[in-house]
Amino acid sequence: MGSYILTRLLSAIPVLLGLSVIVFLIMAMIPGDPATAILGSYATPENVAKLNRDLGLDKPLVQRYFIWLGNMLQGDFGRSFSLNRPVLDEVAERFGATLVLAGTAFVICSALGVAAGVVSAARQYGAADKAITFAVLLGISIPSFFLGMMMILIFAVNLRLFPVSGMWPIYGARDAAALLRHLTLPALALSVVATGVIARLARSAMLEVLRQDFVRTARAKGVHERGVIWRHALRAAMVSIIPVLGIQAGFVLSGAVYIEIVFQWPGVGRMLVDAILKRDILLVQGGVVLVAACYVMFNIAVDVAQSLLDPRIRT
Amino acid sequence: MSFLRLLARNRLALAGLVVMACVCLLALVTPLLPLAAPDITDTGNRFRPPFSEGALLGTDHLGRDLLSRLLWGTRLSLAVGLAAAVTAAVLGAAIGIVAGFYGGRTDNLIMRGVDMLMAFPYILLALAIVAALGPGLMNALIAVAAVNIPFFARNIRGVTVGIAHKEFVDAARLSGMSDLRIVLTEILPNVVPVIVIAMSTTVGWMILETAGLSFLGLGSQPPVADLGSMLGEARAALITSPHTSVVPGAMILVIVMAINLLGDGVRDALDPRLKSGALNRPLPATQVARDAPVPAAQGGAALLSIDGLKTEFRVKGRVYRAVGGVDLDVRPGECLGLVGESGSGKSVTALSVMGLVASPPGVITGGSVHFDGQDLIGARYETLRRIRGDRVAYIFQDPQATLHPLYTIGTQLVEAIRAHHAVPRAEARARAVDLLGAVRIPNAAARIDSYPHELSGGMRQRVGIAMALANDPDVIIADEPTTALDVTVQAQILALLDELRRARGLAILFITHDFGVVAQLCDRVAVMYAGRIVETGPTDAILSRPAHPYTARLMACVPAPGGGRRRLATIPGLPPSVDDLPAGCAFAGRCDLVQDTCRRGEITLDPLTADRAVRCPTPLRAGAPAS
């Protein structure tokens, strides 16, 4: 098991390098001159040339990449000119808030999605199946930002059950209860699409598994139908559900950007959109690399979970 | 076209199609409609509610007519979403075909790149691209298309690899066609359905994503608005004038939902596996629909008494009568062999006893199965469950598929015990070790923590037998337990079963197609053909003097040890299809001794001697040696 985790960690290195190359190339595509973008169109040519030298932009592309990579490996992601603070500090602070939101949403969509898929498959063509199928269709069709706005309108403005926006109360204690009140609506809004996708897949994975011989064996043993569904069939279906959970984690993590905007959540997605609109390239670059790297590591965790669940992978 | 007909039969997909057609039509004729100009501001008339005079849906924060902006916005969103989908599909398919067609290093290099792109959280990559290109609708389109290219490339590559090594492609290569022509004439036509499915399932996403980027202010720029930026602009007035948000939001929802319905319909129509309805899950117990009075138990001393059992499969309006009225008695401590060709209905008979026939499509339509004086057909699920594995246990054919691959054999044995007896886990585990020892698994205490894939086929079947023995059942139903094993292992398993039944006084219903196995194990034998018993009696008597021509022919198919010079007999023809059985004897079409009486009316199973019966108007003379 230990060697499996080590191999997977080592295999992440080329992926992470690839990610950094892609981000670097995308940023190198930027038309025009970043120095002009930073200094504005009234900058003198001397100032532009100086800033270009300071930023290392006068060097060849390959050399620039390795300088950038070397700096990142030392924890130096550069300075955000719009916020005038180190990129890493800003991203680390914002990423915490995003993780709270996306993590909660991920737990909700995994639990709810798998449960809905299992119930739907076990009651195929029944009333529960039809209701779930319809809800799932609605869930995967509604834009999360529109859903979030409607939730604010109904549950925060009209029913006054939850705060309208933000992560913490402006006045008052920053305790778990306050966080939970602020978290409920955005986490739900963020989880809806992924819940639908997971439920769909879980349903078809379960239908596939329920026809297999070992399910008949379990029934022949006299195992109660609950055990047949949840212990035998679901365990086998999880093998094909877990990779999808990994993919959906990526959707939840990056889809958080819409929810962060709608609910004024101080996360990394909102930071990125602001940075893009202000053309703060270093902040975008650093934010994208860090979030993507975290996602790669999360996917390794998913693979390890997969191998724990399926003894056939380990050997 | 059958594809369109299939699509039309799916009512939801049809609804999606109709809605999409209406939306597209509206979008097309928008420039011709007598609408207010979408970009003319009139700040005196801001935020007018829906159904105001001159503004059916009201006005937005700049006093612009919402209906007009909605239609123009829909037009833009559809155009951009579709353009992104087509771009992604064309580029992705091109990359996928090149990778799949050339294979080797080209493939390796391209797919590595694709995997890298897929390692990104999706929207993050789109954001990075927009960040580089700058906000704008065209750039949002490029970003969304680019992000979706890997998905298409990977799908299409998979299909292309499958096709690139088919004979017709090799033939085209040998005939000297250029690569480009092969791709265009041989590969592309086979890949198009996959592209269509992939597009139909992703175009909704792409409309959502471009709307999303516009919502963030990174897509369409004022004063032009697509649905996403309409929603983004309305957000500031969400609380005071919610209708300005609801109008564009609901439109996105309607469009995406219609596309998803349609996409599901297209996928179902193009994916043959879903078409056949093969993805039905079996119910916990076989459905029962008996239309005739329930027969009483006939066999007086029998432990398990099957009377007039009828099981059929109902598939797409056709009815396959797999079991057409079977009577069998199993007495305590007796081994009854049920013999027949594949498709004769012997397995379905065995599975019907405990309601384990997959249902749908299986339905038990008649007869009774009395166990211990109780009719199991139509019994409550809980009654069946209590008997399953506790008093009547099964051993199945292929232990590779019948054991759960992800649990250790110990866990599965313990579960079998604890399903019926509330014993502590440790005690059940000790009993499981004993069971593994009883079926001659060496080093049982260590083996108990093995997974099925770590055992050999013979060992797995021993586990299957141990599981059947777990609760000391009265009856074991063994459904071809040795068929999947090689010959030496077969002999060991049979010897083990024989020993166990004598030691424990088990009754066994043994299903097989092999008369050699019957001779070794069974006290009595019943021969089945086309869903009915054609001959039954003591094993010795039937083996030495078969009365039904079918039995005789079936026995002649078994190679005799030492008789290597004999030409192995086969029975010409095939068994009749059980959805269209002939009148009279089902074997008449393949029988050498067929007479006119064989093709008329109902031929009954008549007693031949005190303990034998045969379903034949002209049975072979008892006493005639087997040919």
Side-chain angles (χ1 to χ4, degrees), chain B residues 218-444:
Chain B
L218 306 176
S220 72
Q221 300 296 317
V224 175
D226 69 352
L227 293 173
S229 56
M230 279 180 76
L231 198 53
E233 287 171 17
R235 198 168 67 84
L238 172 65
I239 295 170
T240 49
S241 304
H243 71 277
T244 53
S245 301
V246 172
V247 165
M251 191 57 160
I252 301 179
L253 175 61
V254 166
I255 291 175
V256 177
M257 195 151 156
I259 290 178
N260 282 339
L261 280 174
L262 190 58
D264 291 353
V266 169
R267 195 198 51 207
D268 289 357
L270 288 180
D271 191 334
R273 218 175 39 139
L274 296 167
K275 224 187 298 182
S276 65
L279 277 182
N280 273 327
R281 64 88 185 72
L283 290 165
T286 311
Q287 284 174 308
V288 175
R290 285 188 290 199
D291 42 13
V294 178
Q298 300 296 321
L303 186 59
L304 183 70
S305 171
I306 303 174
D307 297 284
L309 180 71
K310 289 182 181 169
T311 305
E312 54 189 48
F313 293 98
R314 297 175 178 171
V315 184
K316 281 191 176 175
R318 296 190 83 101
V319 176
Y320 298 85
R321 294 190 174 80
V323 179
V326 161
D327 308 301
L328 286 174
D329 293 320
V330 187
R331 292 166 210 143
E334 175 189 54
C335 179
L336 171 66
L338 185 56
V339 191
E341 288 170 274
S342 330
S344 61
K346 53 194 195 305
S347 283
V348 179
T349 305
L351 292 173
S352 296
V353 171
M354 282 290 134
L356 290 171
V357 177
S359 171
V363 186
I364 296 176
T365 53
S368 64
V369 173
H370 283 90
F371 172 75
D372 213 8
Q374 186 180 13
D375 185 12
L376 299 181
I377 304 298
R380 285 176 46 238
Y381 166 73
E382 188 56 26
T383 312
L384 271 181
R385 188 192 70 78
R386 280 174 199 277
I387 299 173
R388 285 176 180 178
D390 191 32
R391 307 200 54 196
V392 178
Y394 280 84
I395 304 171
F396 293 110
Q397 178 174 344
D398 177 9
Q400 168 85 62
T402 51
L403 293 175
H404 197 295
L406 306 179
Y407 287 112
T408 62
I409 57 175
T411 310
Q412 300 188 50
L413 282 167
V414 167
E415 184 188 36
I417 297 167
R418 284 168 49 103
H420 299 287
H421 303 280
V423 294
R425 211 167 276 275
E427 199 182 316
R429 189 180 156 90
R431 175 147 170 72
V433 174
D434 289 348
L435 284 167
L436 290 179
V439 294
R440 305 280 148 66
I441 289 186
N443 201 1

